[in-house]
């Protein structure tokens, strides 16, 4: 359905517009570029909307978990609407705040750092499949691309900490960099397991390899990897309980302590965009992506709508994982730094390496119902 | 046409950032320019349809090696003026390495080089142009045709890792450190004792 809408837009709006503005020789190139740009905005605008309302959801959910109400004042047109206007009010406030560049800071790097933090978390969405056909770039090395881009996110943090010319920011950046690099290894090995299981680096094909029923999804044969991947994802996004990088009690706010206004909010948005990305990746790699959980079930599996693959399933699964991110934050106390390092290097890394051997054996032996 | 212009943009950026690596004063800036040059060469490899190599370059060098590099450079308090004195002294060595690299590139890219395909005579990138999805191709070649060199390289890397770890463990630890394994498995009964007391 979304495909059809896009084709209509392309045919009736983009085509004539390009015809008017661009010489005929370049029209096909220009139309292609314009189509890609429209597709990119079709992914990114809803994503940024989700990021904005994820902050609202976080405050609401943690509020309810702690027996508070959360934000409930800002609404629209005089109606409070449970505080639904809060993210928009926050954005407006942040836009109008002054961006202060501290004395002795490296100005250029100070400004570039938030952009470097934000860019990889948005660029990774190029290869996420929302549906059998609904993917911006259906490349073969999709999983590698994701791995490469998530490894870039650390630069925004390091550069921000260094360029701020502040001890707190620098210490926060160092902690965060060490943490991200450590957990990336476990994450990389976890993705290797998925790659071995699916026999493909293409995210669409990885999802299709899981079709059958809820028991065919890779969370079952790769159960330890599924857990390792999601926990590493929480650590990689610097979220609680792994948020020593911004430990308020000792580092004020960590690497972005010197940032204010929009520059700060871009770091904030990057963190939330990364959360959404990790959630959607967990859903795609381990929980069947767009596949229906009722597929292949005795009674519900026969229903026409419930058992069919649909983009809604992907969104529901992503929301469940996002909820878990917020739940963790409300539940667990912060890890100590050496405990984080121990968990990454001495627990997760051995588990993933052992499971690579196990899953290779399972694939070679053709253990059903996943690998035959 | 479009492909060429993209190539020239990235090539210009690559040369610019590579020159900046050796000419900027601040070592952190130099490391950042090195990252930029890695990134540009990855983009050029993508134009060559060598997607595995391009992404692996970003993943390994930009995502891991340079992070640690930057980490160390930021922590060190380097005296910049002494660092700059060596520039002319090391110039002959640098030139020698540059000439050697140029010769090696000429052998590979130029016609009739050591890596040309014996049957078709195609060289360098041209050899693999037809194959779509060279990740699979590269994996097959590495694990069948070149399995011995690949395993030897792996063994050498393993030795290097063990040597590096051995170098950091100079003497047995004498100071007492907390053991997180014991700490996380602690039970309430071991720390808190509930006592029933008569109310007065």
């Amino acid at each position: 359905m979304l495909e059809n809408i896009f084709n209509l837009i392309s045919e009736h709006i983009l085509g004539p517009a390009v015809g008017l503005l661009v010489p005929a020789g370049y029209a096909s190139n220009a139309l292609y570029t314009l189509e890609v740009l429209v597709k990119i905005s079709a992914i990114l605008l809803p994503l940024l909307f989700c990021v904005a309302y994820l902050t609202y959801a976080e405050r609401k959910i943690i509020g309810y978990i702690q027996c508070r109400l959360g934000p409930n004042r800002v609404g629209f047109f005089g109606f409070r609407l449970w505080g639904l206007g809060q993210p928009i009010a926050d954005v407006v406030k942040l836009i109008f705040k002054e961006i202060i560049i501290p004395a002795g800071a490296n100005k250029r790097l100070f400004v570039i750092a938030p952009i470097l933090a934000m860019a990889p978390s948005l660029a990774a969405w190029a290869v996420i499949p929302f549906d059998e056909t609904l993917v911006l770039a259906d490349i073969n090395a999709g999983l590698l691309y994701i791995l490469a881009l998530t490894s870039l996110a650390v630069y925004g943090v390091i550069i921000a900490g260094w360029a701020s010319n502040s001890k707190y920011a620098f210490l926060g950046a160092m902690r965060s960099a060490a943490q991200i690099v450590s957990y990336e290894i476990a994450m990389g090995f976890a993705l290797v397991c998925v790659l071995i299981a699916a026999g493909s680096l293409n995210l669409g094909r990885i999802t299709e390899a899981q079709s059958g029923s809820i028991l065919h999804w890779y969370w079952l044969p790769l159960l330890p990897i599924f857990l390792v991947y999601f926990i590493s994802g929480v650590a990689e996004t610097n979220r609680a309980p792994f948020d020593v990088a911004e430990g308020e009690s000792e580092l004020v706010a960590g690497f972005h302590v010197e940032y204010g206004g929009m520059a700060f909010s871009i770091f904030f948005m990057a963190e939330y965009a990364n959360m959404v990305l990790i959630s959607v990746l967990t859903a795609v790699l381990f929980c069947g992506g767009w596949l229906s959980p009722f597929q292949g079930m005795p009674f519900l599996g026969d229903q026409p709508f419930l058992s069919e693959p649909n983009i809604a399933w992907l969104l529901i699964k992503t929301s469940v994982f996002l909820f878990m991110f917020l739940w963790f934050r409300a539940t667990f106390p912060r890890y100590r730094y050496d405990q984080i390092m121990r968990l990454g290097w001495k627990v997760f890394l051995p588990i993933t390496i052992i499971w690579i051997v196990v899953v290779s054996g399972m694939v070679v032996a053709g253990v059903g119902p996943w690998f035959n | 046409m479009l492909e060429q212009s993209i190539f020239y943009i990235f090539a210009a950026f690559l040369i610019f950032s590579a020159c900046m690596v050796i000419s900027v004063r601040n070592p952190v800036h130099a490391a950042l320019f090195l990252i930029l040059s890695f990134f540009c060469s990855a983009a050029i490899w993508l134009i060559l349809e060598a997607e595995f190599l391009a992404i692996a370059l970003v993943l390994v060098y930009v995502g891991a090696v340079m992070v640690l590099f930057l980490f160390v450079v930021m922590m060190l308090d380097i005296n910049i003026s002494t660092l700059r004195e060596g520039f002319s002294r090391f110039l002959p060595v640098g030139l020698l390495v540059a000439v050697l690299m140029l010769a090696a590139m000429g052998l590979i890219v130029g016609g009739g080089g050591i890596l040309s395909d014996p049957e078709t005579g195609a060289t360098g990138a041209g050899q693999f142009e037809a194959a779509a999805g060279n990740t699979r191709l590269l994996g097959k070649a590495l694990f069948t045709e070149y399995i011995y060199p690949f395993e030897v390289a792996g063994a050498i890397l393993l030795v290097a890792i063990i040597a590096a770890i051995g170098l950091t463990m100079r003497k047995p630890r004498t100071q007492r450190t907390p053991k997180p394994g014991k700490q996380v498995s602690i039970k309430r009964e071991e720390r808190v004792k509930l006592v029933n007391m008569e109310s007065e």
Side-chain angles (χ1 to χ4, degrees):
Chain A
M1 192 189 77
L2 289 164
E3 282 282 291
N4 296 339
I5 294 172
F6 178 74
N7 286 338
L8 279 180
I9 291 176
S10 169
E11 205 173 307
H12 293 288
I13 300 172
L14 300 183
V18 166
L20 278 178
L21 295 172
V22 184
Y26 296 100
S28 65
N29 268 346
L31 184 64
Y32 178 72
T33 314
L34 206 60
E35 276 182 2
V36 171
L37 284 177
V38 168
K39 283 182 187 171
I40 290 174
S41 8
I43 295 174
L44 290 192
L45 291 180
L47 174 69
L48 293 178
F49 181 80
C50 286
V51 165
Y53 273 88
L54 186 57
T55 62
Y56 171 78
E58 172 165 44
R59 293 168 68 180
K60 254 330 201 199
I61 288 169
I62 294 182
Y64 285 132
I65 289 176
Q66 296 168 345
C67 298
R68 295 182 287 113
L69 284 176
N72 65 349
R73 298 281 140 173
V74 189
F76 297 98
F77 310 113
F79 298 100
R80 278 193 188 157
L81 299 173
W82 316 281
L84 272 175
Q86 186 70 46
I88 293 162
D90 287 342
V91 168
V92 170
K93 183 194 95 174
L94 284 164
I95 286 175
F96 284 106
K97 280 178 98 166
E98 184 187 357
I99 297 175
I100 300 164
I101 298 180
N106 192 318
K107 266 189 201 125
R108 254 178 247 155
L109 289 181
F110 189 82
V111 175
I112 288 174
I115 302 167
L116 284 181
M118 187 77 187
S121 54
L122 298 185
W125 285 84
V127 296
I128 302 283
F130 297 97
D131 207 332
E132 286 102 328
T133 51
L134 213 60
V135 50
L136 180 61
D138 193 14
I139 60 172
N140 279 325
L143 203 58
L144 264 179
Y145 173 81
I146 292 277
L147 204 56
L149 277 180
T150 46
S151 71
L152 292 184
V154 65
Y155 280 108
V157 175
I158 300 188
I159 292 174
W162 187 77
S164 298
N165 191 30
S166 151
K167 288 187 186 67
Y168 292 122
F170 188 62
L171 282 173
M174 287 292 123
R175 280 186 181 187
S176 156
Q179 180 183 332
I180 291 177
V181 169
S182 315
Y183 278 85
E184 209 171 81
I185 298 170
M187 241 176 154
F189 276 125
L191 293 185
V192 169
C193 286
V194 175
L195 154 69
I196 293 172
S200 173
L201 281 168
N202 183 308
L203 290 172
R205 251 175 265 160
I206 289 173
T207 311
E208 273 158 22
Q210 300 177 51
S211 59
S213 71
I214 193 166
L215 297 177
H216 284 69
W217 298 351
Y218 286 149
W219 66 269
L220 190 57
L222 302 178
L223 186 60
I225 298 303
F226 169 51
L227 298 176
V228 165
Y229 183 79
F230 190 58
I231 297 171
S232 304
V234 178
E236 180 120 338
T237 47
N238 281 329
R239 291 286 300 178
F242 301 102
D243 58 345
V244 285
E246 46 189 279
E248 296 90 348
S249 49
E250 58 237 40
L251 291 179
V252 193
F255 63 90
H256 54 45
V257 66
E258 302 289 349
Y259 283 84
M262 253 345 246
F264 163 75
S265 79
I266 287 179
F267 274 119
F268 205 70
M269 278 155 65
E271 183 181 321
Y272 283 75
N274 267 325
M275 277 163 64
V276 183
L277 182 67
I278 293 288
S279 305
V280 82
L281 278 176
T282 317
V284 166
L285 298 176
F286 296 98
C287 293
W290 64 76
L291 299 170
S292 159
F294 301 116
Q295 192 184 16
M297 269 191 181
F299 302 109
L300 291 165
D302 302 332
Q303 306 297 321
F305 187 71
L306 277 179
S307 63
E308 276 164 18
N310 194 331
I311 185 175
W313 296 121
L314 181 65
L315 300 182
I316 291 171
K317 289 165 191 171
T318 309
S319 314
V320 169
F321 288 118
L322 278 174
F323 176 76
M324 286 169 82
F325 267 95
L326 310 182
W327 191 6
F328 291 158
R329 179 161 179 198
T331 308
F332 295 120
R334 185 175 292 139
Y335 263 93
R336 217 172 52 206
Y337 184 73
D338 60 327
Q339 290 171 336
I340 290 183
M341 285 297 148
R342 174 181 164 274
L343 187 70
W345 289 99
K346 294 186 179 172
V347 181
F348 283 174
L349 201 54
I351 291 178
T352 48
I353 291 176
I354 289 170
W355 215 259
I356 285 179
V357 179
V358 172
V359 82
S360 309
M362 277 157 81
V363 169
V364 170
V367 176
W370 311 289
F371 306 123
N372 40 22
Chain B
M1 172 45 202
L2 186 69
E3 204 176 293
Q4 269 183 2
S5 50
I6 292 173
F7 169 78
Y8 281 119
I9 290 168
F10 278 112
F13 259 108
L14 175 58
I15 293 170
F16 164 75
S17 54
C19 290
M20 291 304 269
V21 172
I22 52 171
S23 59
V24 288
R25 284 168 180 276
N26 194 325
V28 173
H29 290 182
L32 289 174
F33 273 116
L34 187 56
I35 293 164
L36 183 61
S37 60
F38 278 140
F39 214 84
C40 293
S41 43
I44 290 176
W45 284 358
L46 265 189
I47 298 172
L48 274 176
E49 296 183 10
E51 86 260 2
F52 179 80
L53 283 180
I55 297 176
L57 180 72
V58 173
L59 179 62
V60 176
Y61 280 92
V62 181
V65 174
M66 286 314 291
V67 174
L68 299 178
F69 213 87
L70 207 57
F71 207 86
V72 173
V73 171
M74 282 175 178
M75 301 278 259
L76 293 178
D77 194 19
I78 299 173
N79 192 347
I80 296 168
S81 58
T82 53
L83 209 67
R84 288 185 64 78
E85 277 169 9
F87 190 78
S88 55
R89 199 152 52 89
F90 292 124
L91 201 59
V93 185
L95 279 179
L96 185 71
V97 174
V99 168
L100 280 177
M101 291 290 281
L102 207 64
M105 281 199 286
L107 277 178
I108 294 167
V109 180
I114 42 172
L115 287 184
S116 63
D117 192 340
E119 282 159 30
T120 59
T123 56
Q127 253 183 80
F128 300 110
E129 206 171 0
N134 64 18
T135 311
R136 186 176 287 272
L137 200 75
L138 194 68
K140 269 204 178 123
L142 274 184
F143 282 99
T144 54
E145 206 173 331
Y146 299 104
I147 182 72
Y148 290 119
F150 183 71
E151 291 291 330
V152 168
I156 292 173
L157 284 177
L158 185 66
V159 169
I161 291 173
I162 294 172
I165 295 171
L167 281 176
T168 57
M169 297 204 316
R170 288 203 193 116
K171 56 184 176 187
R173 263 186 176 175
T174 48
Q175 78 268 39
R176 294 176 64 192
T177 47
K179 293 191 174 54
K182 267 183 141 176
Q183 288 176 331
V184 290
S185 63
I186 202 86
K187 299 230 165 29
R188 195 192 64 175
E189 288 75 32
E190 296 167 51
R191 290 279 167 88
V192 185
K193 193 178 168 193
L194 288 179
V195 188
N196 256 334
M197 286 183 76
E198 296 274 321
S199 54
E200 289 179 32

